[in-house]
Amino acid sequence: MSNNKLDENVKANESSNKETKMTLDDAARVKVLSPARLVFKRFIRNKLAIFGTCVLVVLFLFCFVGPLFYPYGQTDIFYGWREQNDDYAYAQIRSEYVNYWNPDIDQDTKKSLSFVERNVNSTILKMLASENEEEQNSYEIVSEDGIYYNLVKLSDDAYALKDSTYVVVADFFGNAIKGVATFRDGFEDLGEEFNAAATAAIKTGSFEFNGKKYDIVKDKNGTKQDYDIYCDTAAEGETKYYFVSTIVTPTFYKTDDFTKYNKDSAFKYTAYAATFTGKTEFTYDNVTFGVKLEDGTPIISRNGEDFAFLAPFTASSSDTATALNIEFQLALEKAVLEMAGNAAAVGTEVSFNALAPKLEEGKPVLDENGNVVLQDTEFVVKREQNDYTVWCISSIYKILIYEAPNSEHILGTDANGMDVLARIMFGGRISLMVGFIVVFIEMIIGVIMGGIAGYFGGWVDNIIMRLVDVFYCIPSMPILIITGALFDELNLDYRERLVWMMAILGFLGWAGVARMVRGQILSLREQEFMVAAEASGLSTSRRIFRHLVPNVMPQLIVQATMGLGSVIITESTLSFLGLGVKHPLATWGNMMNNITQKVEYLTAYAYIWVPIGCLICLAVIAFNFVGDGLRDAFDPKMKR
Amino acid sequence: MLKFIIKRLLYCTLILFIVMFVIYTLMASLPSGYIEKQARLLSQQPGTQKSYDQWVSEMEVNLGMDKGLVEGYFTWIGNAVQGDFGESWNWTVPVVEKFQDVIWYSFVLSLIAFVLETAIAIPLGILAAKKQYGVADYTISVIALIGISMPTFFLASLLKLVFAAKLNWFDIGGMQGRGYDQLDALGKFLDTCHHMVLPVITLTIVGIGGLMRYTRTNTLEVLNADYIRTARAKGLSEKRVIGYHAFRNTLIPIVTIVGGSLPGLFSGALITETLFDIRGIGFVSYHSMVNGDIPFTMFYLAFSSILILLGTLMSDILYAVVDPRVRLN
């Protein structure tokens, strides 16, 4: 190599100074390079080392200068409006029958019927369970006073209570020998023959007279000789209902109507009674309402406009501030009732389309007239026991978690809504800085310990080398894991934790440096220049640190460069395990931590963690290349 | 030789004694460890009649942690010498029993990786040296460097991504697949082998780089030696020069380093086992360490310290055994 160089120099000199005569010992003939330049020249001849240096320069620029030009910091959290499935409304199928009293019924009657009213729900259940068609349509309830009433079925959703046709026609006073029947108002007196028949039947309880069947029952409230005679009389005139018991409820088309009529049970009674008895119109409060059936859903109209629909269904918006529009409610009602009719299993999902307000950034879009713009939206309704949840794609203001790469966030955002590229830059800063600081600590301790041991020898050397042996023997990764877990327990501040981690890493790694320095110094101190240094009366520390250590420098630099790579790997492994540098500080290791824990994340967010891993690799490879190059440059004969 | 070994063994014992004391000090002075955590849990339980402090002191007595540092250490080491490492807090079985349960998974895993490593790295290292500065040399060197520079967790994640998540060839982790219990003995064995493939690949790739570089450097040195020039000058075929004269001399340092890494086969692969959920010694001790299980951690640290010392001792002895020119003293 040096021969070549000589030749080149000679050639160069010959070509430039052809006229000047040169002598063998001419200083211009041999270009003498200083040791540093010689090393530099050898270094830049090594292609891999140059590659490594370039990579490092780029990495450093990226990590230390890049953030200056990048608009985001490492802990900025990004929010935005994003489309996503969100609960839109909740619906419920009503299963409880509610009684609406006829406004004409006075309070006393209501009171006397309270027992009947309480039994309505159980009676309806009995009717539903009955196999007898007559019982399905009409069922007798006896009040506490012993008066018979009939609960009649108006439709699948509504029942009504009316007087029974089985009524007391006469009061009977007497015994099995003689008695007198006093007919009540509205019933024709049937005379002595009837009395005789009733008296005869007092033991058996029932008798026939003129083809009609009568029952004679002891009056509970009267004396021993008081009886009531019952008879099934045919219904006459318009039936009077006491109340309507129904599971439906009106859903009003307009909010004003809702506030006006929803609490008005008299209106509800009128509406239900009319609707379920098949009438096409009814009047309430001097307003005429129409009733029509659309797809099996009764719709009440007023002045030709749809007013409310009746269904055993209530819907409420997930957002209490906004009301659900009626088109949506109608569509939802159909979907839900169909699901209920099909006895859909819990968890079944059905999708339907309906008009819903168009939302932008959480607010409804208004047209020029200030009306809400509606758009066709696809909804999904899911059964959850008796409740139904409806959702649709809506726009939500949220932390942008795992955003795909886009123009604003070149590598997207991470699990905390932070910009990945920014965090990679800042993470690189920390990873590299940890590397440098740890290696620096290692070097300082190593040089001091190794220098002392090598220079003084004897028992000092012995003690220090035993210490080196001990540190060599301590398994460092377990220790780091234990201390990492300990920091977790202590809830250490993340900055404090970083400092401690660097200190421990440095403290565990000095033994190799010390051993190398000691070996070098052992051989150096026997050389002549050291004898000269001693002879000229230099102080011990000056001899060690000014004369010996600089001679160890080349090996130190090589070891430090190689050490940087391994420290970066150790640090990132620790952070990857969650035991090193902690959030919110970013490092390359902890950025990969939560992404690679789950399989779904592993595949879905490969674009985040693969570049980071490659960066770690690249940094370590570059440090290794540079270290190799430096070693070759310092001493081409040095053993690898 | 025997004298040397005995001397070294005694020395190792001394070092081990000090190392274990350092580690014991560290472990015993850990605040807020397992005992505190358990005591906090117990003292918050309904119906408990003891306070947190009472629980701590009671548990310390029960678990033998109430003695002072020196006394505690001597008690521990006295028991340890007799093979009694106490009962693991985290796994609630005797430490040695847990160790015997899991060590063989780790050993087999490391052994296969080790065999693969040596089988691949040594020939490739020699090839690189033979074709110095050739394409093969550069390729091998770069691959070796990538292997050295690749963090284990990144390699493991990459393998998981490609072979488990994308290609679905392997499970993402664990040692047994679904329906393991229904398999017959051979099926169970094959299933476990199948789950070991990715960890073995990880360990091999991570470990291969260093050995490859080492082989290459040493072979280069041997190839520059005078006796190789002599052998070539004699007119021996290149095959014989490399395969006989050079190879045997190359093997001296390699056998040393390979032999030195043999005890390490027992120490388990902490990161790889944890990432792939292989219930070997590495996995178990990782969880012991994280949960502050002092008996198991102490045992594991002692065990790995012994392995490190044994490794150095073994490579020294092998050096003398393989190379008769070396004298031990």
Side-chain angles (χ1 to χ4, degrees):
Chain A
M1 195 149 54
S2 52
N3 275 341
N4 286 342
K5 203 165 27 192
L6 218 64
D7 290 346
E8 278 166 27
N9 283 337
V10 171
K11 266 183 206 157
N13 281 341
E14 275 173 0
S15 56
S16 59
N17 317 320
K18 262 189 183 148
E19 288 83 35
T20 45
K21 178 124 174 56
M22 296 193 78
T23 53
L24 256 181
D25 57 344
D26 196 335
R29 263 196 84 214
V30 183
K31 201 174 175 188
V32 180
L33 292 172
S34 73
R37 284 196 62 187
L38 201 67
V39 167
F40 178 70
K41 208 163 176 188
R42 283 201 217 116
F43 182 77
I44 58 170
R45 223 176 258 172
N46 187 333
K47 278 182 203 129
L48 288 181
I50 291 298
F51 170 75
T53 319
C54 292
V55 168
L56 283 185
V57 168
V58 171
L59 269 182
F60 270 81
L61 285 179
F62 174 71
C63 297
F64 287 88
V65 184
L68 301 179
F69 297 98
Y70 197 67
Y72 310 131
Q74 62 171 327
T75 49
D76 294 352
I77 297 173
F78 295 93
Y79 295 82
W81 290 98
R82 285 296 175 271
E83 306 245 295
Q84 98 171 37
N85 268 335
D86 191 29
D87 284 6
Y88 184 78
Y90 309 105
Q92 211 177 11
I93 292 278
R94 289 160 60 102
S95 54
E96 187 92 344
Y97 286 82
V98 179
N99 306 324
Y100 297 94
W101 282 92
N102 186 340
D104 300 339
I105 303 289
D106 57 50
Q107 284 300 322
D108 290 343
T109 322
K110 279 189 192 175
K111 215 177 252 173
S112 68
L113 281 171
S114 64
F115 173 75
V116 176
E117 197 185 359
R118 280 202 301 278
N119 281 317
V120 164
N121 265 303
S122 59
T123 312
I124 291 172
L125 285 180
K126 276 184 215 157
M127 290 169 78
L128 288 172
S130 168
E131 286 174 3
N132 180 348
E133 198 179 328
E134 205 168 299
E135 274 190 3
Q136 280 176 12
N137 288 325
S138 170
Y139 204 90
E140 269 177 357
I141 307 183
V142 190
S143 78
E144 277 170 313
D145 304 333
I147 302 170
Y148 281 78
Y149 296 94
N150 266 0
L151 192 64
V152 290
K153 180 176 180 177
L154 300 181
S155 82
D156 284 343
D157 300 332
Y159 294 81
L161 188 77
K162 62 169 191 174
D163 284 326
S164 175
T165 49
Y166 185 69
V167 291
V168 180
V169 288
D171 295 312
F172 183 84
F173 183 79
N175 51 32
I177 300 154
K178 184 180 164 39
V180 179
T182 322
F183 280 86
R184 291 195 172 177
D185 293 348
F187 297 102
E188 189 193 345
D189 197 331
L190 293 170
E192 278 303 311
E193 279 175 47
F194 182 81
N195 284 350
T199 313
I202 219 160
K203 287 244 169 74
T204 54
S206 66
F207 62 97
E208 258 181 57
F209 187 81
N210 281 357
K212 276 192 177 171
K213 193 169 173 277
Y214 294 89
D215 290 324
I216 180 158
V217 178
K218 199 157 174 86
D219 190 343
K220 270 178 267 167
N221 301 327
T223 62
K224 238 169 119 182
Q225 297 185 326
D226 275 336
Y227 293 89
D228 291 333
I229 298 176
Y230 287 86
C231 178
D232 200 357
T233 56
E236 287 157 24
E238 187 163 330
T239 336
K240 185 181 83 181
Y241 295 127
Y242 289 92
F243 56 75
V244 173
S245 183
T246 179
I247 51 173
V248 303
T249 184
T251 305
F252 296 93
Y253 281 52
K254 291 201 176 107
T255 326
D256 295 348
D257 293 332
F258 174 80
T259 42
K260 187 174 172 194
Y261 289 108
N262 196 42
K263 289 272 165 67
D264 191 347
S265 65
F267 166 77
K268 285 189 177 174
Y269 169 81
T270 320
Y272 296 150
T275 308
F276 295 118
T277 48
K279 298 213 175 73
T280 53
E281 59 173 42
F282 63 94
T283 315
Y284 177 77
D285 223 1
N286 298 327
V287 186
T288 309
F289 294 89
V291 181
K292 61 182 173 187
L293 228 61
E294 228 173 61
D295 290 347
T297 306
I299 296 184
I300 299 172
S301 59
R302 183 179 57 189
N303 304 331
E305 265 180 48
D306 284 349
F307 169 77
F309 70 83
L310 305 178
F313 146 95
T314 45
S316 58
S317 171
S318 68
D319 171 16
T320 45
T322 55
L324 294 169
N325 64 318
I326 198 75
E327 291 84 356
F328 168 77
Q329 294 201 39
L330 261 174
L332 177 60
E333 180 243 329
K334 298 242 162 56
V336 166
L337 287 186
E338 195 183 322
M339 282 171 87
N342 298 342
V346 172
T348 314
E349 291 180 5
V350 168
S351 66
F352 65 94
N353 277 48
L355 288 176
K358 190 177 173 185
L359 295 178
E360 231 165 57
E361 307 211 327
K363 291 190 190 88
V365 181
L366 303 176
D367 62 10
E368 310 89 63
N369 307 325
N371 293 326
V372 177
V373 177
L374 297 178
Q375 67 175 8
D376 195 33
T377 318
E378 192 187 357
F379 293 93
V380 178
V381 55
K382 179 182 179 189
R383 176 161 193 183
E384 282 153 15
Q385 304 299 344
N386 279 326
D387 298 343
Y388 296 79
T389 310
V390 187
W391 65 77
C392 67
I393 290 179
S394 49
S395 115
I396 296 171
Y397 191 64
K398 58 169 194 170
I399 298 178
L400 302 180
I401 292 169
Y402 289 127
E403 279 284 294
N406 54 39
S407 55
E408 267 174 64
H409 305 287
I410 296 168
L411 277 177
T413 56
D414 68 0
N416 301 304
M418 300 173 177
D419 185 86
V420 170
L421 187 62
R423 281 182 78 77
I424 291 181
M425 287 178 183
F426 282 94
R429 265 189 194 189
I430 291 189
S431 291
L432 291 173
M433 245 155 53
V434 166
F436 275 101
I437 293 173
V438 168
V439 166
F440 185 73
I441 299 173
E442 281 177 8
M443 291 295 140
I444 294 282
I445 306 180
V447 167
I448 292 175
M449 295 300 242
I452 293 173
Y455 186 80
F456 291 106
W459 63 270
V460 180
D461 181 31
N462 235 326
I463 288 180
I464 291 181
M465 288 328 283
R466 294 302 79 80
L467 208 58
V468 166
D469 281 338
V470 167
F471 270 88
Y472 246 88
C473 187
I474 293 179
S476 57
M477 202 64 201
I479 299 285
L480 288 168
I481 290 174
I482 293 167
T483 47
L486 167 67
F487 294 156
D488 274 356
E489 288 286 335
L490 291 176
N491 274 330
L492 230 55
D493 179 61
Y494 62 93
R495 288 184 220 95
E496 226 174 294
R497 196 187 163 115
L498 177 64
V499 172
W500 273 107
M501 197 194 72
M502 292 192 295
I504 293 170
L505 269 171
F507 191 64
L508 287 173
W510 61 272
V513 183
R515 187 174 274 187
M516 189 269 295
V517 171
R518 171 185 173 264
Q520 288 290 318
I521 285 183
L522 274 184
S523 67
L524 284 173
R525 74 170 183 187
E526 305 300 331
Q527 291 184 13
E528 287 84 356
F529 73 95
M530 282 316 290
V531 179
E534 203 170 353
S536 49
L538 294 179
S539 70
T540 317
S541 66
R542 199 175 162 78
R543 275 190 314 229
I544 297 180
F545 294 108
R546 285 304 300 270
H547 293 268
L548 282 177
V549 171
N551 278 298
V552 192
M553 227 41 194
Q555 284 93 333
L556 267 185
I557 292 174
V558 172
Q559 193 146 8
T561 325
M562 305 289 230
L564 273 170
S566 63
V567 169
I568 289 177
I569 288 190
T570 314
E571 182 273 328
S572 57
T573 306
L574 266 185
S575 301
F576 175 81
L577 292 173
L579 299 168
V581 182
K582 284 273 183 178
H583 187 84
L585 284 183
T587 72
W588 288 340
N590 75 11
M591 291 183 70
M592 284 181 68
N593 173 21
N594 45 13
I595 296 183
T596 42
Q597 298 299 312
K598 279 192 189 164
V599 192
E600 312 90 73
Y601 291 3
L602 192 77
T603 39
Y605 306 116
Y607 64 87
I608 298 181
W609 65 264
V610 172
I612 298 175
C614 291
L615 276 181
I616 301 177
C617 274
L618 210 60
V620 179
I621 289 178
F623 278 120
N624 279 329
F625 277 157
V626 172
D628 271 357
L630 281 175
R631 177 170 44 200
D632 291 347
F634 280 128
D635 181 1
K637 281 187 192 160
M638 201 196 282
K639 198 177 167 187
R640 283 201 183 188
Chain B
M1 184 76 170
L2 192 67
K3 204 175 149 197
F4 167 80
I5 294 176
I6 290 171
K7 208 172 133 195
R8 278 295 298 269
L9 275 177
L10 286 176
Y11 177 66
C12 285
T13 319
L14 176 70
I15 293 289
L16 194 67
F17 185 78
I18 301 171
V19 168
M20 288 328 293
F21 184 67
V22 171
I23 293 173
Y24 187 85
T25 314
L26 182 77
M27 293 299 294
S29 54
L30 289 186
S32 203
Y34 176 86
I35 292 181
E36 279 83 350
K37 216 194 269 175
Q38 289 296 315
R40 210 176 303 127
L41 274 180
L42 284 170
S43 65
Q44 282 162 358
Q45 256 173 13
T48 181
Q49 270 153 29
K50 292 176 200 144
S51 72
Y52 168 75
D53 291 330
Q54 283 170 314
W55 272 117
V56 169
S57 49
E58 191 190 308
M59 286 182 73
E60 275 181 346
V61 172
N62 285 345
L63 298 171
M65 298 304 290
D66 57 330
K67 305 182 186 85
L69 199 61
V70 179
E71 196 196 340
Y73 176 61
F74 277 99
T75 318
W76 179 83
I77 210 156
N79 289 332
V81 168
Q82 294 162 31
D84 173 20
F85 287 87
E87 188 154 314
S88 162
W89 299 346
N90 195 32
W91 310 99
T92 59
V93 287
V95 167
V96 182
E97 193 179 299
K98 186 75 189 167
F99 167 73
Q100 284 165 349
D101 273 355
V102 297
I103 184 65
W104 297 109
Y105 291 114
S106 284
F107 178 70
V108 170
L109 190 69
S110 308
L111 184 68
I112 300 171
F114 173 77
V115 170
L116 284 177
E117 254 169 49
T118 11
I120 297 172
I122 293 179
L124 284 185
I126 293 175
L127 178 74
K130 242 163 65 180
K131 305 268 165 67
Q132 201 188 2
Y133 301 129
V135 181
D137 182 28
Y138 273 112
T139 324
I140 289 169
S141 299
V142 168
I143 289 174
L145 251 177
I146 291 176
I148 293 173
S149 314
M150 192 88 117
T152 316
F153 64 89
F154 180 51
L155 180 63
S157 304
L158 272 185
L159 290 176
K160 278 187 192 179
L161 173 70
V162 177
F163 294 106
K166 292 270 186 227
L167 294 176
N168 261 327
W169 289 357
F170 303 100
D171 279 359
I172 206 96
M175 290 203 303
Q176 294 160 1
R178 268 190 217 115
Y180 176 82
D181 291 332
Q182 275 88 52
L183 296 171
D184 54 1
L186 181 68
K188 280 182 180 176
F189 174 73
L190 288 179
D191 187 61
T192 310
C193 286
H194 186 244
H195 283 83
M196 293 277 188
V197 172
L198 285 186
V200 164
I201 294 177
T202 311
L203 283 178
T204 312
I205 294 181
V206 167
I208 209 167
L211 192 57
M212 216 136 85
R213 259 158 73 103
Y214 192 76
T215 313
R216 176 181 175 271
T217 323
N218 281 300
T219 313
L220 274 182
E221 204 163 287
V222 169
L223 286 180
N224 287 332
D226 293 339
Y227 52 84
I228 296 294
R229 197 183 308 141
T230 315
R232 289 210 173 104
K234 275 201 308 197
L236 290 182
S237 70
E238 188 66 15
K239 205 172 150 193
R240 190 161 171 82
V241 172
I242 303 286
Y244 188 74
H245 293 264
F247 182 65
R248 290 173 63 146
N249 281 290
T250 313
L251 272 188
I252 295 173
I254 293 174
V255 165
T256 313
I257 200 166
V258 166
S261 62
L262 276 178
L265 296 183
F266 286 95
S267 71
L270 204 67
I271 310 291
T272 315
E273 283 175 21
T274 311
L275 289 182
F276 283 104
D277 271 352
I278 301 290
R279 311 229 152 198
I281 185 82
F283 175 90
V284 169
S285 44
Y286 174 77
H287 286 276
S288 304
M289 285 186 274
V290 172
N291 293 320
D293 176 356
I294 292 182
F296 200 94
T297 311
M298 280 303 290
F299 167 77
Y300 178 67
L301 289 174
F303 182 63
S304 23
S305 306
I306 292 173
L307 292 179
I308 295 173
L309 286 171
L310 268 184
T312 354
L313 179 64
M314 214 147 142
S315 60
D316 282 354
I317 295 170
L318 275 174
Y319 195 41
V321 171
V322 187
D323 191 350
R325 291 169 294 186
V326 175
R327 277 220 194 134
L328 292 171
N329 49 37

